[in-house]
Amino acid sequence: MSVLRRLRARLRPATIAGQIALLVVAGIAVAHVVATAAFLLLHESQNPDELPGVAASRLGMLSRLLDTVEPAARPALLASARSLPLIHVEAWDGHAPPGAVPVPDLPVIRRLRNGAGRPVTIVDLSAADPDQERSAGRLHVGIVTAGGATLQATLPNDPLRTPKQGALIFTVVFLALTLALLCVWATRALTAPLKRLAGAAEAFGARDDHVALPEAGPREVLAVSRALDRMRSRVRRLIDDRTQMLAAISHDLRTPITRLRLRAEFIEDDTARAATLRDLDQMNGLVEAALSFVRDGQARDASSFTLVDLASVVQTVCDDFSDIGAPVSVGRSRHVLVRGRPEELQRAVTNLVDNAVKYGDRAEVHMEASARGVRVCVRDGGPGIPEAEREAMLQPFVRGDRARNLNEARGFGLGLSIVQAIVEAHDGRLMLENVRGGGLDAVIELPLAAQVFAGQTVRRPAPAPAEAA
């Protein structure tokens, strides 16, 4: 087996163009081999004189000629017909001997009548002639034409061979199936490295980006695979550098922010002191939000996920907001289990409820089943987000001041980005849907734990749907 594998590896072209050319040539060669075999097995005899059907047709034409010529010329015509192959023709007086019966409806008799082209009377003389045995494959008949011409003849009684249509159709179908299977097998073998390469590229940046790159295949695929591997290493290095840089900035900024906060306490002007402390709080919040976005956007190990009761998470978040007097209500809820980190799911729901309270004056939370698992919908009472700006709102540091009615700038534009990073890490998706009559539905859709264990989840989140009715 190893010898055959090495031989196949040596004979297989190294490029995609060479493999496609080999596939085409192999298909043509197989088609020619099958067609040649079918021709050798199914071709008819090249000598028509050896066919019983041809002999019967010639005897019918002879009967027709005897019917059209003068009676005086009939003996000469019969004498010249004695040289016809496979048949023996003699004169006959037209009187059937005792024991003669009408000829049965045999295939050669039907061919004889068709060759005559006009009504003829055919009598079976084999029973009256002990020298002729029908079982031996010969038939002795007497023929009387409509014009009164008579003759007797001996001809083969072999069954006529019908055209081998069934065998021909089977050969054509077999050829088509053979070529189709060959093409499917070769195409799958050719595109398998491309499929693995596409899977590795699609998984890059996701939670399970450990998909191995193809190490065998056409030369072009291997070149792209090596380039993608180098690109993955560079991107990972850039992401690590960005994370380390932001962590260092956060650590270095906390000390001067703390010192500025202490100095601000000695400002005698109450208005200036409050404004300074508010600015320092905003600076500290910006640093913490940036670090949270980077941390929540990193790849996660699925082995650390646990079973989470999503309804309990939603109820906990809504209770926390209600305790501080925020207008948050819980509608329908479903006690379902999902796989993930409870603190991250709680943070995602908290961000959506906080946005609804800030920008829509209220938050109505409810859960419902969906084709992908379960949906957590947070609805507010604001004006919604224009469709042209909806995609941009999911980008980091993009704020919705233009889309919402705000008296002052609040937030850093990272809330929805953090939610999207958390939801995608849990194999879910985040959707923003405008509600007819006003309001916005921020929807988190997650797969159920049973679907995750069954391998039915969709790894990549689907695009956000169109505006809801």
Side-chain angles (χ1 to χ4, degrees):
M1 183 63 68
S2 59
V3 176
L4 293 178
R5 187 179 295 108
R6 289 196 299 267
L7 181 61
R8 184 177 60 182
R10 291 181 179 179
L11 296 178
R12 177 184 295 177
T15 63
I16 294 179
Q19 294 186 13
I20 293 177
L22 178 62
L23 171 62
V24 174
V25 171
I28 295 175
V30 171
H32 277 285
V33 170
V34 175
T36 302
F39 174 77
L40 295 177
L41 296 175
L42 303 177
H43 77 285
E44 297 291 344
S45 174
Q46 298 298 318
N47 186 6
D49 293 337
E50 299 177 359
L51 301 177
V54 175
S57 298
R58 289 175 175 173
L59 183 58
M61 295 180 62
L62 178 61
S63 302
R64 185 174 181 177
L65 289 175
L66 289 174
D67 201 24
T68 56
V69 300
E70 296 294 334
R74 290 172 181 171
L77 183 59
L78 284 176
S80 63
R82 291 175 181 174
S83 61
L84 293 175
L86 297 183
I87 58 176
H88 179 69
V89 181
E90 295 180 352
W92 183 45
D93 57 6
H95 297 287
V101 296
V103 70
D105 188 17
L106 299 174
V108 291
I109 298 301
R110 290 195 297 270
R111 183 67 64 86
L112 192 155
R113 294 182 184 277
N114 292 334
R118 59 187 63 188
V120 293
T121 302
I122 304 176
V123 180
D124 188 2
L125 304 180
S126 300
D129 189 355
D131 296 334
Q132 298 292 335
E133 293 291 339
R134 185 185 304 172
S135 59
R138 305 292 291 180
L139 184 63
H140 187 199
V141 297
I143 303 174
V144 180
T145 66
T150 59
L151 73 157
Q152 57 180 331
T154 303
L155 70 161
N157 190 28
D158 296 334
L160 302 184
R161 289 183 294 177
T162 58
K164 300 178 181 180
Q165 296 179 353
L168 182 61
I169 293 176
F170 172 78
T171 303
V172 173
V173 172
F174 175 77
L175 175 61
L177 290 178
T178 302
L179 292 178
L181 292 177
L182 175 64
C183 292
V184 170
W185 172 80
T187 303
R188 288 175 64 89
L190 179 61
T191 57
L194 292 175
K195 186 177 180 180
R196 293 195 298 269
L197 180 62
E202 184 70 19
F204 178 60
R207 179 160 48 90
D208 56 348
D209 62 348
H210 58 276
V211 178
L213 293 170
E215 299 179 356
R219 185 181 303 163
E220 297 87 347
V221 175
L222 294 180
V224 176
S225 176
R226 289 189 290 267
L228 181 60
D229 187 43
R230 293 192 296 268
M231 185 193 71
R232 291 201 305 187
S233 300
R234 290 195 298 267
V235 171
R236 288 196 181 100
R237 188 165 56 250
L238 289 174
I239 292 176
D240 293 340
D241 292 343
R242 183 191 67 167
T243 304
Q244 294 176 3
M245 179 189 66
L246 288 176
I249 291 175
S250 174
H251 180 271
D252 293 341
L253 284 179
R254 281 173 179 162
T255 300
I257 289 176
T258 303
R259 290 199 302 264
L260 288 174
R261 184 184 297 277
L262 293 176
R263 293 172 184 173
E265 295 292 342
F266 295 98
I267 298 177
E268 297 181 356
D269 189 346
D270 295 340
T271 303
R273 183 173 64 253
T276 302
L277 292 175
R278 184 172 62 251
D279 291 340
L280 291 174
D281 290 339
Q282 191 173 16
M283 290 173 59
N284 188 66
L286 176 59
V287 172
E288 295 295 337
L291 282 175
S292 298
F293 171 72
V294 173
R295 182 179 62 253
D296 294 326
Q298 296 299 315
R300 291 167 170 77
D301 183 10
S303 62
S304 62
F305 282 8
T306 61
L307 293 178
V308 181
D309 185 352
L310 192 58
S312 299
V313 173
V314 171
Q315 189 65 49
T316 300
V317 173
C318 294
D319 290 343
D320 291 341
F321 276 92
S322 298
D323 291 342
I324 61 175
V328 178
S329 61
V330 181
R332 301 182 304 273
S333 64
R334 299 172 58 88
H335 286 278
V336 295
L337 295 178
V338 298
R339 291 189 72 246
R341 292 188 176 92
E343 65 277 3
E344 293 184 356
L345 294 176
Q346 183 172 346
R347 178 179 177 85
V349 178
T350 300
N351 285 2
L352 294 183
V353 174
D354 184 62
N355 284 346
V357 174
K358 283 182 180 179
Y359 306 125
D361 299 330
R362 59 183 174 83
E364 300 175 2
V365 185
H366 66 272
M367 299 173 60
E368 59 187 14
S370 70
R372 293 170 56 93
V374 62
R375 289 163 52 102
V376 179
C377 180
V378 180
R379 177 172 297 183
D380 61 31
I385 300 177
E387 185 176 357
E389 300 181 10
R390 198 177 305 168
E391 188 70 23
M393 291 298 299
L394 299 178
Q395 302 300 319
F397 301 105
V398 177
R399 301 177 52 213
D401 298 337
R402 294 174 298 173
R404 305 297 184 98
N405 294 327
L406 293 178
N407 295 325
E408 58 180 0
R410 293 177 291 180
F412 308 104
L414 289 173
L416 291 178
S417 301
I418 293 174
V419 174
Q420 186 178 36
I422 294 174
V423 172
E424 289 183 357
H426 288 75
D427 295 330
R429 60 177 178 175
L430 171 65
M431 298 171 289
L432 303 178
E433 304 173 352
N434 286 329
V435 181
R436 181 176 299 176
L440 177 76
D441 280 346
V443 180
I444 294 177
E445 197 168 44
L446 296 172
L448 299 178
Q451 293 176 328
V452 176
F453 285 120
Q456 298 175 357
T457 56
V458 180
R459 287 291 177 191
R460 298 299 298 172
E467 183 173 331

